[in-house]
Amino acid sequence: MGTSVLSLRIDGELLERLRDHAAKRGMSVQDYVIRTLIRDDFDERFQSAVDETEKFYGVT
């Protein structure tokens, strides 16, 4: 399997929150984000967030 680059543009406040969470675990922001994405329950949590967002904006 090869590798790819993912580039994100995020709000400064969100970046600070990510830095805080990562620092509490002694990790870089990049490592923290990757660790979060590979968690077993990420797919379920992501789908739940998408459903709630769609509900909020009246998409569904």
Side-chain angles (χ1 to χ4, degrees), residues 1-2 5 10 14-15 22 24-25 29 38 40 51 53 57:
M1 178 190 326
V5 173
I10 60 174
L14 176 57
L15 180 57
K24 288 177 186 175
R25 291 159 181 82
V29 171
I38 61 174
D40 289 339
D51 293 345
T53 300
Y57 287 107

Side-chain angles (χ1 to χ4, degrees), residues 46-56 60:
F46 182 75
Q47 186 60 53
S48 176
V50 169
D51 293 345
E52 288 298 316
T53 300
E54 288 177 345
K55 202 180 309 180
F56 178 79
T60 57

